[in-house]
Amino acid sequence: MNIFNLARIALKAMFRNKMRTFLTMLGIIIGVTSVITMLAIGQGSKQSIQEQISSMGANMLMIRPGSEERGGVRIDPSSMKTLDMKDIEIIKKYSSHISAISPVVKTSGQAIAGSNNWPTMIQGVNTEFLDIRKMEVVDGVMFNDYHIKSASKVCLLGQTVIDELFPDKETVIGETIRFGKIPLKVIGVLAEKGENSFGQDQDDIILAPYTTVQKRIMAITHIQDIYASASSEADSEAAEEEITTALRVSHDIGEDEEDDFAVRSQQELITTFSSTSEMLTILLGAIAGISLLVGGIGIMNIMFVSVTERTREIGLRMAIGGRGIDILSQFLMEAIIVSVGGGLLGIFLGLGVSYGIGNFLNWPILVTEQSIILSFLVCAVVGIFFGWYPARKAAGLDPIDALRYE
């Protein structure tokens, strides 16, 4: 019996019990839909995290003071004073893979404009900070080296700060705000960036010359962080090694001594979050795969019922010359059609559900070809695996006993 006759006979048998066939397919449909949707959510989250971290500066390196233990007590790194402008000069001198570098000093406080006020953070940086963080000025200008040398009272505002302090102003260039007791003239507006992957509002920020924040607001001489940008993503690791070597020499750290600073790259963050997201995606896929397994068990149960109901038919076919392999092939073909048909419907439904979640819930969604192919292959294997035993049972029936079956 050729495959076309097998398919025709299988389809006729299935259409005689349309509702039972549909209910058998339903487990596979739900399973494939779940796998595609869950994997789309997991892959979308992974891609979104990578894009958001990259938007902060894919080549960015962060140098921060390292924690220190005093009297058995671990000191908070933010209170350490191990970084200064001399470190930046040394990094510039000995790091050939660095394209930009900026000191960073920051503090939180109340920004005031007229009768409006807003709790926010001010960051003191230099002119290279915008390139490092992939930020842009959409109105006005960035402060220059003169502003830095003279510790000028100028600043740039993020959009959130503008919305809170100047809700009715079309332009804020030339306006004056106070941060604490220090007046600052607004000379620029930063482009909107939205929230980052940690849920932090990147537009809730004030930028000013680092000397202004150091001397006029915080009254300190050290710097809290150093932000640098590698020449390219491929150079990030080499730049990190160069910075570590330069600072160990600058801080006179011995071979057996721990660093009093820490260098972190965006690639480390991307790798960490990607591995976490990958584990979550695998977990979601495994949970969804359970429904495919349940669907396969449903196919096996229904096939057993079908074999029992059609025992006399099987006996008649064997009595007129039908072979065991023909009976096995017929029932196996029914199981394959049910699983493959359910898989195809599940793929279309999974695509619809995935894009529906993306459009209506604004979740990051990424449907990959691999997830579609994987789910389809799994459902085909499920059909063959769970349809084999009932089909073999049908093929092993004795013709005489089958004909006598009531």
Side-chain angles (χ1 to χ4, degrees), residues 208-225:
Y210 73 89
T211 50
T212 304
V213 178
Q214 267 186 325
K215 298 175 182 179
R216 300 183 184 277
I217 297 177
M218 299 183 69
I220 60 176
T221 57
H222 65 280
I223 58 178
Q224 295 170 316
D225 302 308

Side-chain angles (χ1 to χ4, degrees), residues 21-321:
T21 300
F22 171 73
L23 293 175
T24 307
M25 280 186 174
L26 191 59
I28 297 296
I29 293 171
I30 293 173
V32 172
T33 300
S34 301
V35 169
I36 291 176
T37 304
M38 293 299 184
L39 291 179
I41 293 173
Q43 291 295 330
S45 300
K46 178 181 176 181
Q47 184 187 54
S48 176
I49 290 171
Q50 290 177 341
E51 289 176 352
Q52 289 187 38
I53 293 177
S54 295
S55 70
M56 297 165 61
N59 312 335
M60 187 172 70
L61 300 166
M62 295 165 285
I63 303 98
R64 293 178 173 171
S67 61
E68 181 181 349
E69 192 171 295
R70 296 177 183 172
V73 178
R74 182 67 65 175
I75 306 300
D76 184 2
S78 62
S79 64
M80 302 298 293
K81 302 178 181 180
T82 56
L83 298 177
D84 54 33
M85 290 304 298
K86 181 184 70 173
D87 294 320
I88 291 182
E89 297 303 321
I90 290 176
I91 291 172
K92 285 182 179 180
K93 183 177 180 180
Y94 293 104
S95 299
S96 59
H97 293 90
I98 294 296
S99 61
I101 189 167
S102 172
V104 176
V105 287
K106 54 192 174 184
T107 185
S108 57
Q110 206 77 6
I112 302 169
S115 60
N116 298 321
N117 65 89
W118 178 248
T120 186
M121 174 174 288
I122 187 168
Q123 290 194 19
V125 298
N126 69 7
T127 55
E128 299 179 23
F129 183 78
L130 295 187
D131 292 333
I132 297 171
R133 288 294 309 274
K134 307 298 181 186
M135 301 173 80
E136 296 179 2
V137 178
V138 293
D139 192 14
V141 295
M142 178 64 172
F143 47 79
N144 54 37
D145 291 335
Y146 169 78
H147 293 127
I148 294 174
K149 290 178 181 178
S150 60
S152 299
K153 301 175 184 178
V154 295
C155 68
L156 289 82
L157 302 183
Q159 192 58 50
T160 299
V161 179
I162 293 173
D163 292 341
E164 296 296 336
L165 297 184
F166 303 101
D168 302 321
K169 293 276 187 179
E170 291 186 5
T171 179
V172 296
I173 303 301
E175 297 288 340
T176 298
I177 68 168
R178 282 189 297 115
F179 191 88
K181 297 180 180 180
I182 307 300
L184 299 170
K185 182 180 179 180
V186 180
I187 62 171
V189 175
L190 298 170
E192 291 188 54
K193 297 198 72 174
E195 291 187 352
N196 61 19
S197 54
F198 305 102
Q200 181 182 7
D201 185 359
Q202 298 181 89
D203 301 316
D204 189 6
I205 188 174
I206 301 174
L207 294 185
Y210 73 89
T211 50
T212 304
V213 178
Q214 267 186 325
K215 298 175 182 179
R216 300 183 184 277
I217 297 177
M218 299 183 69
I220 60 176
T221 57
H222 65 280
I223 58 178
Q224 295 170 316
D225 302 308
I226 299 173
Y227 282 20
S229 181
S231 304
S232 66
E233 287 189 47
D235 292 333
S236 293
E237 186 174 348
E240 187 175 344
E241 292 177 358
E242 288 177 342
I243 291 171
T244 301
T245 302
L247 289 180
R248 284 185 66 87
V249 173
S250 172
H251 294 186
D252 194 23
I253 299 174
E255 291 185 5
D256 298 329
E257 296 178 341
E258 291 186 7
D259 295 339
D260 59 358
F261 60 89
V263 184
R264 295 288 182 266
S265 69
Q266 293 293 79
Q267 295 303 315
E268 292 179 14
L269 280 176
I270 290 174
T271 301
T272 301
F273 277 101
S274 294
S275 61
T276 303
S277 180
E278 193 70 36
M279 290 182 62
L280 178 61
T281 301
I282 293 172
L283 179 61
L284 290 175
I287 293 173
I290 294 174
S291 59
L292 265 179
L293 179 63
V294 173
I297 295 173
I299 289 177
M300 184 171 65
N301 290 337
I302 295 299
M303 290 300 296
F304 272 126
V305 173
S306 180
V307 169
T308 302
E309 288 183 348
R310 295 158 63 186
T311 300
R312 288 178 62 83
E313 174 192 331
I314 295 168
L316 181 61
R317 289 187 60 191
M318 286 182 169
I320 60 175

